[in-house]
Structures are given as structure tokens and as C-alpha cells.
Amino acid sequence: MKQWSTFKQIMQAMGKHCPAYLLGIFFMSTGWAAFSVMTSILLKNVVDAAQAAEVNKIPLIIVGNVLGGIVILLIYRAGAIVYNVEAKRAHGTICKKVFHHEVRLPYEYYEKHHSGEFISKLSYDLEKTGSIYGSRLRRTVAPILQVTVYLIPMMILSPQITLCLIGVNLIMLLINGLLIGPIRKVSGELSRTNSKMTEKMSNLLQGMEQARMYRAGVQTVDEFVSENETYVKQNDKKIIYTAVLESCSNGFDLLCALAFLMLGIYFVQSGQTTLGSLTAIYSLYGTFSFQFLQLGRYLPELIGCLVNARNIFEFLEEKEEPENWYPDRVTDDGMNKVKPETPMLKLDEIEFYYREDKPLLKDFSMAVEKGESVAITGPSGCGKTTVSKLLLSLYPLLGGEWFLGGSSCYDLSNNEIRKQIAYVPQEPYLFNESVRENIRIGKPDATDAEIENAAKLAYAHDFIMQLEKGYDTNVGERGNNLSGGQKQRIAIARAILKDAPVILLDEATSALDNESERLVNEALKQMKNKKTVVMIAHRPSTIALADKVCAVE
């Protein structure tokens, strides 16, 4: 039942293009089968005409069949074009849905799931799901349609021989059906193992220094090798099942050929069929038997891919982040609730916890005027970073209320909140692009002059100009070509370029050396009195830059 439900979702995902896709498969499959039937009928008519000494009819028979064959081939080609176009469109649609959904999940989901799990879904499961549109469904449906097309003339020509051949092929089909369960099971195991392997590999790549320096790193390698060996064993199982399928198919193909010859000789000698009919059936038999047995081969493979598709649809069923965390508390007048006299940023007895049995923030309040800077301090684990997550609307409040620019968080959408805040984390992420493009993220339509001005304010311009290609220098994956202080100043330049009224810095100097810290602090001074600055900090030099200090207990 799960497979049937997943199959319906696969078809529904195509939307209005589903009928065209299915018609493409229908005309592609029946068109090719009908062409084989035309060839068989041509052979029958030619043999019968030759036996009856009516040679003058043969040219007319050939011309008629050739014209009919051309029409059928045109139908086949039209079906193939429609099928291929719609299959690629469907695969693109499902990929778009997955990528679109991935970036709209709540922040909590990313914290609870390993990045390797995403990579596995976007590579392994998504590729297998796309193959359903691309070939798996067609290869399963085509044999049914083609066998039906072949059966009609075969039953007309000789029902006795045809029924005997069907009986032999049904035995093979039942044997293939026994392998559906094992193949479905091993496909699910392969998907899960691939996800674990990707997770281990992601851990190794992101923590290569730790992997080389500590025993745990060697252990991660051993775990990856172990998962890889498991994957190989599971894949070997699938290969064995597939080999058994193909071996049985080839064996029964030979058996059917022998049965056909014996039955054909008997029925011709007994006068129950003609030599022409036998010739036509024989020319159809090869493709008929092949397609009949293909149904047993490709159905288990389709079931296996549906297991991967189930993983994709379960992922798509994950709840996305809402536009507003508090739809039931939005006031009728919404933005009309703005009060100019309210501080730029005000937290009023807010409450939050990740676990009910472990309170984190309770009745926490803070107010920051426009152009003022505040340093939020406190011991590790007290909730300082959680305050930043709440201000970025990554999590909803569980109590209290906070205001931004005079507007309640209940009246602002997540997007409206994030537009008004520029964020600089402790470990800024730089994309594998040039310095210029990494700064431009703060304002996609920024000019080169605006980018350079932001870099100067962030005390980044001088070191950028010393790089090999200046602003066009590629920073490498995660900015690995730059030092920690350089990455931090580029992140600050990015925040300055965004030109948001509030700048939020989460331990921006905690991991820097003294010189880098001094330069970053100089950059922070540039923002004083111009922006409302919230700094989560514990270094005295950074705290000293703030107009006031707010301690989280």
C-alpha cells in the first residue's frame, strides 16, 4: 500500500502534465509493438501468397505494409518526444520542490539533522526518484502495453500456440514476483546506508584537522569504511537478485523457444494452423516473450525506486517555516501599532526553552535606543546566543514580547524582521566565490564602489588589495584561503553593506588574535551612533565598546 500511495504522489507531482506523460508512454510503447505486428503480418501475407502461387499480390502487400509502418513509426516518434520532454520536466519539477523546500525548513530542523542526510537526499534518493520518470515506469508499463498489442494478432492467428506460450511465461512472471520483496527491502537498506556514509564523509571533510590529530578522527574513518563495506554487501545482494532475475529470464526464454518449435510443428502437421500464421507468430514471439519477461524484471526495480521516492516525499512533508510565527496574535492594524517613542529594540519579559524540563530564558528584558550599542554578557550556556536566534526569528517566543522599530514581533513577518537586522556570527560562512561576491551578499544590487566603501569601513580594504587578485580573489571553500580575522572583517563589510538599522554580532571577536581583534573593534567603532548594535560578547575590549551592558543570568 505504501508503494501505491507513493506512486500516486509521483504522478500528482507532475500536475497537469501527467496525462501528456502517460499518453507519451502509451503511444511510444504501442507504436513500437504495432510496427512489429505490421512486420509479422507482412511475413504471413507474403508466405501465404507464395504458398498459394499468387506472386502478383506480393508487391501490393509490401507497399500497403510499408505505408502502414511509416504511419505507425510517426506515432511512435511523437509519443517518444512527448514522453522524454515530460519526463525531464517532471524530474526538474521534483528537484525544484526539494531545493525550494530545503531552504524553507525551520532552523530547528537543521540543528537536529546532519548535513550528510541532506546531501544523501539530494543525490541518491532524488536521482532514484527522477529515474522513475526517466525510465523505470516506462520500462514497467511498456511490456504490459506491448504484450497486449502482440496478443491480439497472435490469438487471431493461433490461439492454441499463444495460450501455451502465455502459460510458460506466467510461471516465469510468478518467480520474478517472489523477488519483489527482497529487492524492495535491500533498496531501503541501501538508501539508509548511503545516508550514513555521506554523514561520515561530511564529518571528515568538515573536521579534517581534528580527524588527523585525534583518535576519534581515525574512528570516524573506520566507521565510514565499515558503512562502506555494509553498502557493498547490500549492493552485492541486489546484484545477486538482479542476476537471478536475468538468469531465470534467459532460461525461460530458451525454454519458450523450444516449446514454440515443438508446438508449432505439431499444430501445422495437424492442420490447426498455417505455415504463414506460424511464421508470423514466430516473428512476434521473440519480442512478445522478451517483453513479457521484462515485466517481471523491471517491476521489482520500480518498487525499489519507490522506496527512495518515499524518502523524498516524507522530506517534503516536513513543515516549512511560517511567514509569521504568531499568526493567531497578529493585530488587525498590524504595522499601525508602531510607536515612534518606543526604543529601536525592546525585549519585554521574554521566555524560551528548548526543553520544558530545562528553562533557559525567563522574564528577560532589554531596551536599546536607536544608534545605541549594547553588549550582552553572561556565562556559557546561559542563553546569549539564543537571544540572537530569537531576534533573527529563527525560533518563536514561548512567552513575553519583543519590539523592533516600535513594531511588535507578533505583527512582523520573519522576512520583515530579517530585513532590518544585519547578522555577523562567531564563525562567518564565506562562499566559494570572490571576495567581492561574498561582500555583495549583503546587497545583491550593490555597485563595486559601494562594496569597496563597506570594506573600508570594516577595515578590510587594505588586506583585500594585497591579495593576488584583489577583490576578485577566490576565498576558497568556507573562506579557507583567508585568516579568521580576515573572514570576520569581510562578514562585517557584508553587514555594513546591507545597511540595516540593527547590527547583531554573536561573539564576533572571540576566536581572533589580538591584532585581528583590534581591527575588528575598529570596524565596530565605525558603526557606533550610526546603527543600533547588539553585541554578544565576553572579551573586555569588545564589551568596552558598548554604551551599556546587559547580563544574562
Side-chain angles (χ1 to χ4, degrees), residues 272-430:
Q272 296 183 49
T273 188
T274 65
L275 183 61
S277 296
L278 185 64
T279 304
I281 291 175
Y282 185 76
S283 67
L284 284 174
Y285 161 70
T287 50
F288 165 80
S289 180
F290 176 78
Q291 293 301 331
F292 200 97
L293 298 179
Q294 289 298 88
L295 175 62
R297 174 186 174 185
Y298 288 121
L299 181 58
E301 292 185 8
L302 174 63
I303 296 296
C305 289
L306 286 173
V307 172
N308 300 108
R310 178 71 258 159
N311 293 338
I312 291 296
F313 285 115
E314 285 176 354
F315 175 68
L316 290 174
E317 287 167 5
E318 291 286 345
K319 275 190 175 183
E320 294 185 357
E321 181 185 84
E323 289 187 13
N324 183 293
W325 288 112
Y326 324 95
D328 298 332
R329 300 191 62 170
V330 176
T331 57
D332 293 335
D333 54 357
M335 292 300 292
N336 293 327
K337 198 177 177 182
V338 175
K339 298 178 181 178
E341 69 277 6
T342 305
M344 184 66 196
L345 188 63
K346 181 181 178 183
L347 282 67
D348 189 8
E349 298 184 344
I350 64 172
E351 294 183 16
F352 183 81
Y353 52 78
Y354 296 101
R355 290 167 41 189
E356 283 191 52
D357 60 338
K358 192 175 181 181
L360 187 60
L361 294 171
K362 185 173 178 62
D363 298 331
F364 177 72
S365 299
M366 180 183 75
V368 191
E369 299 293 339
K370 184 176 181 180
E372 193 175 33
S373 59
V374 62
I376 301 177
T377 65
S380 178
C382 68
K384 300 188 302 296
T385 296
T386 299
V387 171
S388 71
K389 291 178 181 178
L390 294 173
L391 292 177
L392 293 171
S393 203
L394 298 178
Y395 285 93
L397 288 177
L398 298 179
E401 185 176 12
W402 66 277
F403 299 83
L404 179 61
S407 299
S408 170
C409 62
Y410 297 132
D411 290 328
L412 293 169
S413 69
N414 296 333
N415 193 42
E416 287 171 332
I417 289 172
R418 291 164 192 166
K419 279 183 178 179
Q420 297 185 63
I421 300 176
Y423 177 56
V424 181
Q426 181 178 355
E427 296 181 10
Y429 186 91
L430 300 187

Side-chain angles (χ1 to χ4, degrees), residues 176-193:
N176 288 352
L178 295 175
L179 293 171
I180 289 178
I183 289 179
R184 179 179 61 216
K185 182 180 177 182
V186 78
S187 295
E189 291 172 349
L190 281 169
S191 177
R192 288 187 290 273
T193 304

Side-chain angles (χ1 to χ4, degrees), residues 32 40 62 88 97 107 129 140 173 227 229 233 261 264 276 291 329 368 375 393 400 408-409 449 462 484 527:
W32 187 253
S40 301
I62 293 174
K88 292 183 184 301
K97 282 185 177 181
Y107 186 75
T129 302
T140 305
L173 192 61
E227 294 293 347
E229 290 172 352
K233 290 176 183 177
L261 288 174
Q291 293 301 331
R329 300 191 62 170
V368 191
S393 203
S408 170
C409 62
D462 290 342
M527 294 183 280

Side-chain angles (χ1 to χ4, degrees), residues 28 31-32 48 93 115 140 215 220 260 275 305 322 331 463 486 500 534-535:
M28 185 181 177
W32 187 253
D48 287 344
T93 299
S115 59
T140 305
R215 174 61 194 166
T220 303
F260 175 81
L275 183 61
C305 289
T331 57
F463 89 78
Q486 290 172 334
V534 178
M535 299 178 289

Side-chain angles (χ1 to χ4, degrees), residues 120-139:
S120 178
K121 284 189 189 333
L122 297 179
S123 56
Y124 188 78
D125 288 334
L126 196 54
E127 186 273 329
K128 292 291 185 183
T129 302
S131 71
I132 295 175
Y133 296 117
S135 61
R136 300 302 178 192
L137 179 60
R138 176 182 60 80
R139 288 178 178 177

Side-chain angles (χ1 to χ4, degrees), residues 66-175:
V66 168
L67 291 175
I70 291 173
V71 172
I72 289 171
L73 282 178
L74 289 174
I75 293 173
Y76 161 78
R77 178 52 59 189
I81 292 172
V82 171
Y83 157 75
N84 281 289
V85 168
E86 297 304 335
K88 292 183 184 301
R89 189 202 308 272
H91 188 195
T93 299
I94 202 76
C95 287
K96 182 179 178 181
K97 282 185 177 181
V98 170
F99 294 140
H100 187 267
H101 185 70
E102 182 190 13
V103 299
R104 290 176 173 269
L105 292 170
Y107 186 75
E108 180 182 15
Y109 185 90
Y110 299 103
E111 291 195 318
K112 290 182 177 180
H113 293 78
H114 195 280
S115 59
E117 185 179 333
F118 289 102
I119 297 170
S120 178
K121 284 189 189 333
L122 297 179
S123 56
Y124 188 78
D125 288 334
L126 196 54
E127 186 273 329
K128 292 291 185 183
T129 302
S131 71
I132 295 175
Y133 296 117
S135 61
R136 300 302 178 192
L137 179 60
R138 176 182 60 80
R139 288 178 178 177
T140 305
V141 173
I144 300 173
L145 296 172
Q146 292 180 351
V147 163
T148 303
V149 173
Y150 294 140
L151 271 177
I152 296 172
M154 287 174 70
M155 290 294 290
I156 294 172
L157 293 170
S158 178
Q160 301 95 330
I161 294 177
T162 303
L163 288 172
C164 290
L165 294 175
I166 291 173
V168 176
N169 280 280
L170 278 174
I171 296 172
M172 177 58 205
L173 192 61
L174 290 173
I175 293 175

